[in-house]
Amino acid sequence: MVKVKEERAPSPPVEVGEPREFVLQPAPQGRAVCCRLTRDKKGMDRGMYPSYFLHLDSEKKVFLLASRKRKRSKTANYLISRDPTNLSRGGEDFVGKLRSNLLGNRFTVFDNGQNPQRGGGVDVGSLRQELAAVIYETNVLGFRGPRRMTVIIPGMNSDNERVPIRPRNSSDGLLVRWQNKTLESLIELHNKPPIWNEDSGSYTLNFQGRVTQASVKNFQIVHADDPDYIVLQFGRVAEDAFTLDYRYPLCALQAFAIALSSFDGKLACE
């Protein structure tokens, strides 16, 4: 996929305030939060387990989140932290994680609450929330065509706060509700289908100048009711650098985790 050249005036940078709170708060309404995601493959096993860093794409380059794929995990499992130097579950800056199913085509994003299967009489309020689910569908063109993504996120209440989704067991959760088509209090989003461009011989999307390199990972996420309102867009600008722009109702943690899922190269989705 390639960019379509169309520049627009940048909006003023979003004020972060307290970063720990900012990464969980929905984007301000009417504004895009523009970020830069970088991948670090240096070092012994970084080739297999790279680290990922999210910064605000502004002059100050405010650090937001870091992540790394966990080793010795049966499925893809990324820990997400506010501390770029401590990507462990025990760290006090651990804010959430992204985990896939065994096939590697469905992902769930959790916050840092308690796993319901680990604690006995855990207070429901301390159970982890599911913040997003990402479903990759095998496309009809096999490995050559663009990916198809569905993203499920909790809905927002009248105070513009996220509806908490805290499953108590494996028979509930965003993926289960999506499969059962019980989408009450949930928002279903999809990637915007790219258009085939005869001149370039590739699929294209208009990233308004924010994406400069073709990649199977480039995507835009929209709602069926308003395909011009881009909730999330992600695309390559260099070998290990990507832009990640998100809007209300997403927060930085949701946006970062959804983008991380696209790096997990299971062939079913390539």
Side-chain angles (χ1 to χ4, degrees):
M1 285 181 212
V2 297
K3 66 166 184 169
V4 177
K5 286 193 190 319
E6 187 182 314
E7 305 288 340
R8 65 178 169 196
S11 56
V14 170
E15 292 299 318
V16 169
E18 170 49 53
R20 180 188 278 272
E21 291 169 16
F22 177 83
V23 297
L24 294 167
Q25 287 167 346
Q29 296 204 35
R31 299 281 300 279
V33 181
C34 297
C35 302
R36 175 69 63 112
L37 189 157
T38 50
R39 174 173 57 184
D40 178 8
K41 294 183 189 165
K42 299 182 189 75
M44 271 288 282
D45 61 359
R46 287 277 175 87
M48 289 288 289
Y49 299 95
S51 297
Y52 301 91
F53 303 98
L54 189 70
H55 291 80
L56 270 192
D57 198 2
S58 59
E59 282 179 24
K60 288 184 182 168
K61 295 275 185 287
V62 179
F63 167 74
L64 295 176
L65 293 164
S67 181
R68 193 169 184 201
K69 194 171 180 178
R70 292 179 79 178
K71 300 171 193 172
R72 297 183 292 280
S73 190
K74 289 195 185 93
T75 60
N77 197 330
Y78 295 80
L79 287 182
I80 302 172
S81 174
R82 274 278 317 130
D83 181 350
T85 63
N86 182 0
L87 291 171
S88 71
R89 238 201 111 83
E92 58 183 47
D93 286 307
F94 166 66
V95 289
K97 73 174 190 175
L98 169 75
R99 197 183 68 205
S100 82
N101 63 350
L102 281 168
L103 282 176
N105 61 352
R106 295 186 177 184
F107 294 80
T108 305
V109 184
F110 302 96
D111 72 0
N112 60 0
Q114 294 256 13
N115 182 334
Q117 289 154 352
R118 294 236 172 95
V122 178
D123 168 40
V124 175
S126 68
L127 290 178
R128 66 188 182 189
Q129 290 187 51
E130 292 193 3
L131 298 178
V134 189
I135 301 108
Y136 288 92
E137 297 165 48
T138 312
N139 59 62
V140 290
L141 293 170
F143 302 143
R144 291 188 306 282
R147 295 172 169 186
R148 290 174 58 190
M149 297 166 68
T150 300
V151 176
I152 310 295
I153 57 172
M156 309 299 281
N157 65 19
S158 54
D159 295 326
N160 294 324
E161 293 168 345
R162 200 176 297 114
V163 175
I165 307 289
R166 289 192 175 94
R168 299 184 192 203
N169 53 53
S170 58
S171 59
D172 185 22
L174 293 175
L175 286 169
V176 175
R177 295 185 194 188
W178 174 76
Q179 275 179 298
N180 296 338
K181 298 191 166 42
T182 50
L183 293 172
E184 188 186 346
S185 300
L186 303 182
I187 300 171
E188 181 174 352
L189 305 165
H190 295 275
N191 68 305
K192 195 170 189 171
I195 295 158
W196 179 256
N197 182 313
E198 286 291 344
D199 295 340
S200 65
S202 62
Y203 288 93
T204 62
L205 284 167
N206 184 357
F207 287 94
Q208 308 280 359
R210 290 283 293 155
V211 173
T212 54
Q213 293 194 4
S215 170
V216 69
K217 297 181 181 67
N218 297 354
F219 63 78
Q220 292 177 326
I221 300 293
V222 295
H223 192 282
D225 291 350
D226 187 2
D228 292 328
Y229 181 83
I230 294 165
V231 183
L232 175 65
Q233 73 173 21
F234 177 69
R236 188 192 291 270
V237 291
E239 173 63 28
D240 290 308
F242 305 80
T243 51
L244 177 65
D245 303 339
Y246 68 92
R247 297 171 78 171
Y248 182 88
L250 287 183
C251 68
L253 176 57
Q254 288 169 310
F256 186 43
I258 293 165
L260 285 174
S261 74
S262 77
F263 286 101
D264 211 65
K266 285 291 175 114
L267 274 175
C269 313
E270 284 295 349

